[in-house]
Amino acid sequence: MLTVNAYAAPSATEPLVPTTIERRDVGPKDVLIEIHYAGICHSDIHTVRGDWGTIAYPQVVGHEIVGVVTEVGADVTKHAVGARVGVGCMVNSCRECENCLAGAEQYCLKGNTGTYAATDRDGTITQGGYSTHIVVDEDFVLRVPESISYEAAAPLLCAGITTYSPLAHWNAGPGKRVAVVGMGGLGHMAVKIAHAMGAEVTVLSQSLSKQEDGLRLGADHYYATSDKATFSDLKNSFDLIINTVSAQLDINAYLKLLALDGTLVNVGAPPEGLPIQVFTLFGNRRSFAGSSIGSIAETQEMLDFCAEHGIAPETELISADYINEAYERVLKSDVRYRFVIDVATIATPAA
Ligand code: NAP
Ligand code: ZN
Ligand code: ZN
């Protein structure tokens, strides 16, 4: 076992604090990664605050992990010592169910093993990336292309893939009108990726305060949802809407913005439900869908796509002692557009 420094939530209501955690011995198919950067996803906050249900504490979160391989098990063939690698939202799956065999292990019928707050095969609770090292099965480790900096690569492992996957699945591209609701971590990546895919991109944000940024990141149009006219002006006008909002909103108002056969894909994960008025779906034969992260193969495809198109997230690098303040800023939609922790600043906890 390896004892490593980490930042953990002691409970749902207390700030995160420095601590140590144990990492398992490197098994035959495992790689040991020295983590350099970890992004802060809103899911980290939902999880530690118990928004999605009770979890075991202390809990280390973080599933946008980038670093260097420092040790490999005897049977590892995919990653060598010194390789630049990433780990996203899952670290294992059953590998034998219909969905795993179809290459959709994020939808593993037995449940994929989340990078944190999940029960691992050995019965322990997985601990995430706000830590100096992690041990992961090589099949769930991604190659980070040379042209993407470590810091920029981190948010791609969740925000990047969670938006790339539905955009690719629902064929965002030339001639497609795509709207992105909420311009935070996921939303700003959706704008960049949809633009690179060739779609016409519209941002629907609470206010116009990020308009200049949105247009700079690749949006063609930008509207404030606080302005009621937005919902009448844009009625029946999108082929695809990606909703990244972390809170409840009037989803029917957004569904009405879909054109014939349009789909609204919800990736935002508010604790409360989103009640649907079915008549809204009857109009224009609309669809309401969800999407969860992406497969390992698709995550690699996304990393290579971002390298090819020069896509990188807008990041704010922070030291570990700023994590709690960063959480408050994310909750206030005051993030431009992803906080990334410099893991070298995770200090040894006081004895
Ligand atoms: P984030 O950075 O906080 O972005 C969310 C954005 O939603 C905010 O920047 C804000 O954008 C908008 N927003 C927030 N509160 C709102 C409210 N009350 N009403 C309207 N708009 C509001 O969060 P994130 O990291 O991108 O994550 C977004 C959501 O996706 C979270 O719920 C997260 O758990 C979920 N998620 C899901 C998956 C998946 O696999 N499906 C993966 C990762 C994350 P504006 O200021 O521009 O309006
Ligand atoms: Zn995430
Ligand atoms: Zn499976």
Side-chain angles (χ1 to χ4, degrees), residues 92-98 100 105 108-113 140:
N92 219 332
S93 72
C94 87
R95 303 166 190 239
E96 51 190 33
C97 74
E98 195 181 337
C100 281
E105 60 280 345
C108 174
L109 295 173
K110 293 182 183 149
N112 72 58
T113 307
F140 286 77

Side-chain angles (χ1 to χ4, degrees), residues 42-43 46 158 183 185-186 205-206 210 244 267 269 291 293 338:
H42 204 122
S43 299
H46 286 308
C158 176
M183 207 173 79
L186 267 58
S205 178
Q206 293 168 96
K210 307 176 202 166
T244 74
V267 292
S291 184
I293 53 172
R338 199 57 142 185

Side-chain angles (χ1 to χ4, degrees), residues 41 43 63-64 89 158 338:
C41 177
S43 299
H63 57 203
E64 294 185 334
C89 305
C158 176
R338 199 57 142 185

Side-chain angles (χ1 to χ4, degrees), residues 11-70:
S11 75
T13 51
E14 290 167 278
L16 276 61
V17 291
T19 186
T20 58
I21 54 171
E22 304 293 331
R23 293 301 189 187
R24 67 170 181 260
D25 288 333
V26 177
K29 287 267 288 164
D30 284 336
V31 302
L32 172 65
I33 300 166
E34 182 186 276
I35 302 176
H36 288 200
Y37 295 100
I40 293 181
C41 177
H42 204 122
S43 299
D44 302 350
I45 306 174
H46 286 308
T47 300
V48 298
R49 305 240 164 140
D51 286 355
W52 295 334
T54 313
I55 60 160
Y57 297 96
Q59 178 66 56
V60 177
V61 289
H63 57 203
E64 294 185 334
I65 301 168
V66 170
V68 179
V69 174
T70 54

Side-chain angles (χ1 to χ4, degrees), residues 70-129:
T70 54
E71 191 183 329
V72 298
D75 299 336
V76 167
T77 56
K78 294 180 176 161
H79 309 282
V81 169
R84 312 167 88 237
V85 293
V87 177
C89 305
M90 58 183 167
V91 289
N92 219 332
S93 72
C94 87
R95 303 166 190 239
E96 51 190 33
C97 74
E98 195 181 337
N99 291 358
C100 281
L101 293 176
E105 60 280 345
Q106 74 275 36
Y107 301 115
C108 174
L109 295 173
K110 293 182 183 149
N112 72 58
T113 307
T115 302
Y116 57 72
T119 306
D120 212 343
R121 283 171 301 174
D122 59 8
T124 59
I125 301 295
T126 54
Q127 304 288 334

